Every structure is written in C-alpha cells, then in structure tokens.
Amino acid sequence: MENNQHIGMTSIEIGALWSAYFSETTTKCMIIHFLENVEDPDIESLLINALNICNKRIPKIKELLSKENVPIPQGFTDKDVYSEAPRLFSDPFYLYYIWFMSSMELQAHSLSMALCARSDVNDFYREVLNGSADTDTKSRELALKKGYFIRAPYIPTPQKIDFVKKKSFLTGWFGERRPLHALEITHLFKNTMTNTIGHTLITGFSQVTKSKDIRNLFVRGKEIAAKHSNIFTSILKEEELSSFESWAAYVTDSTNPPFSEKLMLYHITALNSVGIGNYGVSMSASSRRDLGTHYTRLMGEVALFTDDAANLMIEKGWLEQPPQAANRDELAR
C-alpha cells in the first residue's frame, strides 16, 4: 500500500541543500572562466566533466527545495563571471582546484548523506558522492600522468605493533619530543596543501580586486595562508619530511577581474570556514601538545579573519541568510 503521507525536510536536510547550492554555483562560475582559457586538452576534458556535474546538481537542488517551498538562494550566476577577462591562473592550478574541490565535496557530502533521512535527499547525496569520487579519481590520475601529483611524505614501514610506554609521547614544547606519527603527518600535510591552494587563490583575487577594503582583506588573508603553510612545513622539515613549495608561479600577472567581488569574497570566506573545521579535526588527531597548541592558535586567527570577511559581506549587502529557526521571543511579542 502506497504511503501518501508527506514527510517534511528536517533543518539538516534544508541546510545541507542550501549550502550545497552555494558550493555548486560557485564552482560552476570558477570552471566557466577556466574553460575560457584552458590550453591542455586533458585538463579541459576534466573541467568539462566537472561543469556537467554542476549543471546536473544545481537543478536537482532547486527541485528538492521547491518541493518544500523553500526560496531558492540567489547564489551565483553567469553574471558573476566576466568572459572578457584574461586568465588569472595557469592550467596546473585548474587541475589542483578541481582535485581539491572534489576532495572537499567528499568530506562535506558524506556527512550530509549520513544525517539526511528522507529518501529523495539521501539519494541525491549518494549520487553526489559518486560523482565527487569519480572526479577525485580522474583528477588524481591526471595529476600523476602530468607529473603534478604531490605525494605525502614517506616513513619507515613498521615491523611490529607497539604500545606507548612513556608519557613523553604527549610532550611537545618541553622535554623529550618524539617524532611525528603517521596521523599527525597526514594532517600537517593536508593543512599545508589546503593553505597552499588558498594562498594561490587569494593571491590571484587580491591583484584583480578593485575595492580597497576587499583588497586589503585579501592581502591579509594571503599573509595568513603563507604564515600557516610555513609553520606546517617547518614542522615537517624538522623530521626531514617533504612538503609543498610555493605555487605563486601558477598565478598570472593579470589585474582584470574574471569574477565579481561578491563571488571572490564569498569563496574565500567559505574556504576559510572549511579550514577552521580541518584544524579542529587535526587537533583531535594530534597527540603531541605542541601541535595542539599550534592548531588552537591558528584556528583563532582564521576565525577572526573569517568573521571580518563575513562582516564585510554584510556591509556590502551580499551575505544571504541561511534558513533559521523561529524566533519564539519575537513571535510572542
């Protein structure tokens, strides 16, 4: 017997779809500019595939939200891309960007699928995860083929299982400091990569932004990303482990904006919010006290920058308000 009872979306399901709409429309705008300038046919094929995925997801999100009479966010459109602008980044960065974004999608959407109970929403995220996983694989394989893939550091293969015998295992600043373990290396490497990509992106944005207040914020963000990358890199180098080098060469000398300032400011704000979450996860996985102290301090610095960026978006009238709970006190009045 068919059950005709309509089950409304939970706050998690509405919020996840609302957030996904911004992510997809942002990525689509970035890819549109990339495709106007890409030269490598293999990278062009990857970009076309990623654009096709965005073009499938965006109408589906609209459909799901419309079923619940949730207003469709404004997000970003073709108007936020300026087709006459010359390229701002080189082809290798296009590849890294798609690889990075697909990796971020796997993290974010796996959580969404786990928390969304309604079958149509859950099915949507299952399809999204399959697409993101496929893009992640294709990006990695292409990076290997082109010689752009950056491998994580190698460590000796363990010969046997072992147990911690000394409390100095937790020591960081004072006393005997043990070598980094594999999980700590993983997060240091990942956060270095995230900051390197963010530094490259915000470097390009800072040189094409015309508004002084936004440009100053981007310059500050560039300095923060470089500082954090240097801290993580120095920790890895203390153990004689490999890390990332600067990607400044992937930014052209163009000063003509390919994107609206609204899109650029939102993109940086959103990526920094993700970075805060990454630092929190990294801190929980790191046993050495010095690493926890680093993550706590750096997380606060990124949070302050993100707060300033959000305030700037509010001043410009660009920050869309997410769906929220009812204000019971206000309703009572």
Side-chain angles (χ1 to χ4, degrees), residues 106-117:
L106 286 172
Q107 296 177 62
H109 296 320
S110 60
L111 178 62
S112 297
M113 191 180 79
L115 295 176
C116 295

Side-chain angles (χ1 to χ4, degrees), residues 11-52:
S11 56
I12 291 175
E13 290 161 344
I14 292 175
L17 290 169
W18 192 90
S19 178
Y21 187 82
F22 277 89
S23 177
E24 294 298 331
T25 55
T26 301
T27 302
K28 178 180 177 179
C29 289
M30 296 293 291
I31 296 173
I32 288 173
H33 169 68
F34 295 170
L35 280 171
E36 289 174 346
N37 301 280
V38 66
E39 297 175 353
D40 187 305
D42 294 327
I43 296 177
E44 180 181 21
S45 178
L46 180 72
L47 292 172
I48 291 173
N49 179 71
L51 182 61
N52 289 336

Side-chain angles (χ1 to χ4, degrees), residues 1-13:
M1 180 178 179
E2 184 179 356
N3 184 1
N4 293 319
Q5 182 180 5
H6 176 73
I7 301 174
M9 284 186 187
T10 65
S11 56
I12 291 175
E13 290 161 344

Side-chain angles (χ1 to χ4, degrees), residues 119-140:
S119 59
D120 55 348
V121 181
N122 194 273
D123 288 344
F124 168 72
Y125 280 110
R126 191 181 305 277
E127 183 178 338
V128 166
L129 282 173
N130 288 335
S132 297
D134 181 63
T135 302
D136 180 75
T137 299
K138 289 178 178 176
S139 302
R140 189 184 308 107

Side-chain angles (χ1 to χ4, degrees), residues 77-136:
T77 68
D78 293 355
K79 294 180 180 179
D80 292 292
V81 187
Y82 306 144
S83 57
E84 298 82 9
R87 70 155 62 223
L88 184 56
F89 305 101
S90 62
D91 284 6
F93 182 75
Y94 295 166
L95 173 55
Y96 285 129
Y97 180 88
I98 296 299
W99 184 17
F100 175 70
M101 293 303 292
S102 63
S103 176
M104 278 181 48
E105 288 171 358
L106 286 172
Q107 296 177 62
H109 296 320
S110 60
L111 178 62
S112 297
M113 191 180 79
L115 295 176
C116 295
R118 221 172 79 166
S119 59
D120 55 348
V121 181
N122 194 273
D123 288 344
F124 168 72
Y125 280 110
R126 191 181 305 277
E127 183 178 338
V128 166
L129 282 173
N130 288 335
S132 297
D134 181 63
T135 302
D136 180 75

